Amino acid sequence: MLPLTNSPPPDSTAKIKKPKFAPGDFIRRKNSFSSLTSLLSHAYLSQPRSWILLLLLFIQILLLLTLRSVPFHFHVFHRRLPASPHPAAAVSEPVVIATSRSDSAAAAVVAVDENRCGNGYVYVYDLPSSLNTELIENCEKLNPWSSRCDTLANDGFGQQAAGVSGVVPEDLVPAWFWTDQFVSEIVFHNRMMKHKCRTTEPSNATAFYIPFYAGLAVGRFLWQNFSAKDRDRHCEAMLSWVQSQPQFQRSNGWDHFITMGRITWDFRRSSDQDWGSSCIYLPGMRNITRLLIERNPWDYFDVGVPYPTGFHPRSDADVIRWQRFVRERNRPTRFSFAGATRRSFKNDFRGILLRHCRDEPDACRLVECAGSRCGNGTSAILETFLDSEFCLQPRGDSFTRRSIFDCMIAGAIPVVFWRRTAYYQYEWFLPGDPKSYSVFIHRDDVKNGTSIRKVLDGYSREEVRKMREKVIEYIPKLVYARNSDGLETIKDAFDVAVDGVLRRFEEQREWGYKW
């Protein structure tokens, strides 16, 4: 049974203390009010001078309310600040000039460009390099079996995917890489450094980003005979540093967020003998929002973000060109499956899907992924998904798998067998109605003899077209742009994630949503 978070569910309902009254208070107050009304109506208001005083009082109240409603006006200019150390970015900061009567009141207000940063600014902590960039510099030591230097090259996107030439349009070949599934923390760090709403002044920030490479840090200690202390060392060092910052001490982490480049269960070790680190359970992590490629659906602070795939558009034009390509693609294969059995899993469901595919050779196309043949994607997988109407997506080693994003980016419709594979994971990135873009077949039905082909053949051409169109519509939200400053106007997965975090923090401030 998978460990759950220690955090209780958030309770947004504030308890309001009711005032205490003595038994006869309400009656006495009511009688007092009646007496006052009687006095005003019979004695006081019978005098003309009283009417004049009441009129003057009314005019004063009206003037006061009118003046309070007059807004302060600010002219907002932007100046370029000096670049920060690598990975660097010039950051726009608001300069505020007050034009209202009260300069002292204006000084307390920080103007925000509503069109660019309506939900606030982000401050990126300058962590010790041993917690991020040095890990990349020591890429030879991150894996006990081989170097990860090629995997982490090109700002984390990996090696150029030259093998896709002839599979994708030639003008889009430079946008394809053999990207590792565990590099989101590098991608997010590079993008945050050039984010339009990054500030270099902590006092102007409404959110604080912690650029700790948690996945890389723990990765080298997950195998062989490393101790629990080894697996926790980097996270403990990060928390010690962050907890010493006044911004963290002020909020106790409620306005902080971090990207952790592996699945949540790799950071939820319950005992020293178990897998992974205990980073999420360490003191100080409780209130920090965490962006992960697989979340714990019962932990408010876990947010699922798409696995990195091989397509990294350089511009809006790349996205539009790709969407048109997959929309117009001829798809002769009804459904496909890319994967391999898991010997460590009893009654592995993937084995059942492999048999289904082999039993329907005229309808199903199979890509065998034994060993590490499909680790970071291959041109064979891409071409298979491009040729397929549907792609089978069982759970991976955990409930999610990168393949579902490879499938959707290719314009194929995912067929899922666990709701936690997608529906409970990527709320900000996928359509709200699962039926609009996917097919769900319960795994037990398949085990009990339900034919996958018959289920899929039950969908009409028009239904398939609509589902595929919905998949294609959401492709921009599933990819990470190649440029560190993002695309021109289209929001990619990074933009959607950061916007969602800032919006969440804004709601927390408005609602007082804390415990």
Side-chain angles (χ1 to χ4, degrees):
M1 182 175 178
L2 294 172
L4 301 179
T5 178
N6 288 332
S7 302
D11 180 10
S12 59
T13 305
K15 296 182 179 179
I16 304 174
K17 294 184 178 179
K18 297 181 178 180
K20 296 181 180 180
F21 299 111
D25 277 0
F26 179 73
I27 298 174
R28 286 195 296 271
R29 287 167 187 261
K30 184 175 180 181
N31 291 339
S32 299
F33 177 78
S34 300
S35 301
L36 178 61
T37 304
S38 176
L39 176 63
L40 288 174
S41 60
H42 292 92
Y44 191 75
L45 297 182
S46 62
Q47 302 178 27
R49 188 177 300 173
S50 303
W51 283 106
I52 296 173
L53 291 175
L54 283 175
L55 181 60
L56 291 174
L57 179 62
F58 174 78
I59 293 173
Q60 288 178 341
I61 293 173
L62 186 62
L63 286 173
L64 177 62
L65 292 175
T66 303
L67 290 174
R68 284 171 61 100
S69 66
V70 175
F72 290 109
H73 298 283
F74 298 93
H75 297 297
V76 181
F77 301 91
H78 287 82
R79 58 185 171 83
R80 304 300 290 179
L81 296 182
S84 303
H86 176 79
V91 184
S92 295
E93 290 290 347
V95 179
V96 182
I97 302 178
T99 60
S100 74
R101 301 176 185 175
S102 175
D103 290 336
S104 59
V109 181
V110 177
V112 175
D113 184 341
E114 295 293 340
N115 294 325
R116 288 172 56 86
C117 305
N119 288 323
Y121 288 88
V122 182
Y123 179 77
V124 181
Y125 280 125
D126 184 16
L127 289 181
S129 60
S130 60
L131 300 175
N132 44 47
T133 55
E134 277 187 23
L135 294 169
I136 298 177
E137 293 168 3
N138 295 320
C139 53
E140 294 278 358
K141 302 177 181 179
L142 293 177
N143 190 311
W145 301 286
S146 61
S147 169
R148 295 201 66 196
C149 295
D150 287 348
T151 301
L152 303 180
N154 294 316
D155 299 322
F157 292 113
Q159 297 298 306
Q160 196 84 41
V164 301
S165 180
V167 178
V168 306
E170 288 303 312
D171 57 324
L172 291 180
V173 169
W176 281 86
F177 295 79
W178 297 135
T179 303
D180 187 78
Q181 63 182 338
F182 297 136
V183 295
S184 58
E185 52 206 11
I186 303 174
V187 173
F188 271 78
H189 186 193
N190 288 329
R191 289 286 298 277
M192 282 305 313
M193 296 303 288
K194 289 197 173 183
H195 193 266
K196 63 184 181 182
C197 297
R198 179 187 164 222
T199 176
T200 56
E201 293 295 332
S203 60
N204 290 344
T206 54
F208 299 84
Y209 184 69
I210 306 171
F212 170 47
Y213 296 172
L216 293 184
V218 73
R220 63 174 296 196
F221 301 111
L222 293 176
W223 294 274
Q224 299 181 340
N225 295 321
F226 289 104
S227 66
K229 188 173 182 61
D230 292 327
R231 285 173 275 162
D232 291 343
R233 182 179 298 114
H234 286 84
C235 187
E236 289 175 342
M238 178 274 293
L239 286 171
S240 176
W241 189 93
V242 170
Q243 287 178 298
S244 69
Q245 305 304 304
Q247 295 79 24
F248 185 93
Q249 294 170 0
R250 183 184 66 244
S251 70
N252 199 27
W254 271 90
D255 51 5
H256 286 54
F257 68 113
I258 186 174
T259 306
M260 306 177 80
R262 301 180 70 92
I263 64 174
T264 190
W265 314 110
D266 288 343
F267 307 103
R268 292 179 178 271
R269 190 189 70 243
S270 297
S271 66
D272 287 354
Q273 291 72 38
D274 292 339
W275 170 268
S277 81
S278 61
C279 188
I280 288 178
Y281 292 145
L282 292 178
M285 279 295 290
R286 175 180 174 179
N287 297 332
I288 297 174
T289 294
R290 305 173 287 267
L291 306 179
L292 302 126
I293 52 178
E294 178 175 326
R295 67 184 288 255
N296 176 358
W298 296 279
D299 190 334
Y300 168 80
F301 295 97
D302 274 11
V303 175
V305 298
Y307 280 76
T309 64
F311 181 46
H312 303 289
R314 302 155 295 176
S315 62
D316 287 2
D318 278 1
V319 176
I320 296 169
R321 172 82 168 94
W322 180 256
Q323 287 177 305
R324 184 170 67 249
F325 171 70
V326 298
R327 181 181 293 112
E328 297 172 353
R329 178 83 175 190
N330 180 41
R331 298 177 184 270
T333 302
R334 188 60 169 168
F335 64 100
S336 60
F337 176 52
T341 57
R342 294 290 192 268
R343 295 178 182 177
S344 58
F345 284 69
K346 186 178 181 181
N347 301 320
D348 181 30
F349 186 71
R350 293 189 185 197
I352 298 175
L353 296 185
L354 286 169
R355 289 194 296 273
H356 269 261
C357 205
R358 293 190 183 109
D359 290 344
E360 304 281 1
D362 59 326
C364 184
R365 183 169 168 181
L366 177 64
V367 179
E368 295 271 9
C369 289
S372 59
R373 290 173 54 194
C374 304
N376 294 327
T378 68
S379 57
I381 293 178
L382 176 59
E383 189 169 16
T384 296
F385 288 159
L386 285 170
D387 288 344
S388 303
E389 290 186 327
F390 299 91
C391 54
L392 307 185
Q393 296 297 330
R395 59 172 287 171
D397 292 335
S398 59
F399 284 100
T400 63
R401 66 194 305 239
R402 165 180 158 158
S403 180
I404 193 170
F405 296 102
D406 293 329
C407 158
M408 294 181 70
I409 286 172
I413 301 164
V415 181
V416 300
F417 307 90
W418 279 262
R419 289 184 174 85
R420 284 176 66 179
T421 297
Y423 307 154
Y424 300 164
Q425 289 291 335
Y426 309 106
E427 177 184 354
W428 296 349
F429 305 89
L430 297 176
D433 180 10
K435 294 180 181 178
S436 68
Y437 72 95
S438 67
V439 174
F440 178 76
I441 307 174
H442 199 284
R443 56 198 175 277
D444 290 342
D445 294 338
V446 178
K447 293 176 182 177
N448 292 331
T450 295
S451 168
I452 295 174
R453 181 176 185 176
K454 286 184 178 179
V455 172
L456 300 181
D457 285 346
Y459 288 87
S460 67
R461 285 185 177 274
E462 180 60 16
E463 288 174 321
V464 172
R465 186 196 66 78
K466 287 182 177 179
M467 283 192 286
R468 179 179 302 115
E469 192 57 39
K470 183 61 70 173
V471 168
I472 294 171
E473 176 189 340
Y474 273 72
I475 285 176
K477 292 185 175 184
L478 308 180
V479 299
Y480 295 94
R482 176 65 182 92
N483 299 330
S484 57
D485 53 357
L487 303 173
E488 295 94 335
T489 62
I490 295 175
K491 293 191 174 186
D492 68 348
F494 169 84
D495 293 318
V496 174
V498 175
D499 287 353
V501 169
L502 293 177
R503 189 168 56 249
R504 170 185 277 203
F505 288 173
E506 177 67 20
E507 291 170 352
Q508 289 171 182
R509 288 191 296 272
E510 289 178 355
W511 301 343
Y513 192 49
K514 299 180 182 180
W515 54 72

